Amino acid sequence: MGKKIYIKTEEEIELIRKSDLLVSKTLSLMGEMLKPGISGRALDKKAEELIRDNGGIPSFKGYQGFPAALCISVNDAVVHGIPSKVEIKNGDIVSIDCGVFMNGFHGDAAYTFAVGDVDEETMDLLRATNKSLYLGIEQAIAGKRVGDIGYAIQKYTEKTLGYGVVRELVGHGVGKDLHEDPEVPNFGKRGRGPVLKEGMTIAIEPMVNMGTKRVRVLRDGWTIVTRDRKPSAHYEHSVVIRKKKAELLSNHEIVEESIKNNVNIKQL
Ligand code: MG
Ligand code: MG
């Protein structure tokens, strides 16, 4: 990552929005396909087809050697799970992270799906993590600072509810590069960090663990899992900073629409 924070023109923002729309359509397709018995690899194959058929390139494939289009992280996997032949089971939570590169710009978003009979304790974690994403987005206004976002997420999930906020992985600027400055941690202090300016595009992505905040990397070199093997949730939006309210560039509504129509997925 460089030191420079790029302010995007309206034309560039529209291109990022297009990439994010394809990301969102891909996540929506995952919401249609997910069911017990399907493998991560089958999901990844369809996702890559949709992305390429629409003129995009999967941002993650080949990124630092990552082998797939999607990160699929199940249950105690936080992020960066590699799609495999292992079948999704009834009661699993499945975090799917997707990036698309198109017209020179990346889009990036993620959603955690509850497959079948997920217990209420885990559903509460999903609801809280999803809510914290929007609490973070509320703070993403021109003139505020990056620390205001992290503070809002951490205060709700960790201080109020007692969950663990992952420290090792953070949100980020997004644009010509998948990961640009600034880093956008899901923890922090109010009034600290870089000032948010109109036209900055950032990915906000709380990663929240039911138990300990501590994580480790599996032997595959990618998958981040919780140290206590308790579940973890992850929701991500790309947004553009505006004067009064951040504007969403990715779209979870179409993802939630497909969940509504899929009896195999529990709504939040
Ligand atoms: Mg992502
Ligand atoms: Mg991201």
Side-chain angles (χ1 to χ4, degrees), residues 213-225:
K213 62 179 184 267
R214 300 191 65 209
V215 296
R216 67 185 181 87
V217 190
L218 289 187
R219 280 211 203 154
D220 63 19
W222 280 104
T223 316
I224 310 285
V225 296

Side-chain angles (χ1 to χ4, degrees), residues 60 97-99 108-110 172 178-179 203 205 234 236:
F60 301 167
D97 197 344
C98 180
D108 187 10
H172 50 90
L178 178 60
H179 297 127
E205 51 178 315
H234 179 214
E236 176 180 29

Side-chain angles (χ1 to χ4, degrees), residues 65-218:
F66 190 77
L70 301 176
C71 295
I72 301 184
S73 310
V74 180
N75 297 332
D76 61 336
V78 180
V79 286
H80 302 170
I82 300 172
S84 75
K85 286 188 281 191
V86 178
E87 292 177 356
I88 307 293
K89 300 184 305 298
N90 180 41
D92 282 349
I93 58 166
V94 183
S95 301
I96 302 186
D97 197 344
C98 180
V100 163
F101 183 72
M102 202 164 59
N103 304 310
F105 289 88
H106 293 273
D108 187 10
Y111 202 92
T112 300
F113 300 87
V115 179
D117 307 309
V118 174
D119 63 82
E120 270 310 295
E121 195 187 5
T122 305
M123 290 307 295
D124 284 342
L125 171 71
L126 267 47
R127 291 179 194 116
T129 307
N130 187 54
K131 184 176 172 186
S132 77
L133 168 60
Y134 294 96
L135 294 174
I137 291 170
E138 271 178 27
Q139 297 298 315
I141 310 166
K144 292 225 179 212
R145 287 174 183 265
V146 166
D148 293 313
I149 298 171
Y151 175 82
I153 293 168
Q154 185 185 18
K155 181 169 183 277
Y156 178 62
T157 56
E158 200 167 84
K159 300 222 167 67
T160 305
L161 297 174
Y163 295 130
V165 171
V166 174
R167 300 300 199 272
E168 288 85 346
L169 299 136
V170 296
H172 50 90
V174 61
K176 285 183 178 166
D177 288 318
L178 178 60
H179 297 127
E180 297 184 351
D181 278 339
E183 290 195 340
V184 183
N186 301 302
F187 52 92
K189 294 198 167 78
R190 276 185 287 191
R192 298 284 183 87
V195 177
L196 298 167
K197 292 183 182 152
E198 208 179 352
M200 278 174 58
T201 48
I202 58 173
I204 302 177
E205 51 178 315
M207 289 155 252
V208 181
N209 302 345
M210 186 182 283
T212 181
K213 62 179 184 267
R214 300 191 65 209
V215 296
R216 67 185 181 87
V217 190
L218 289 187

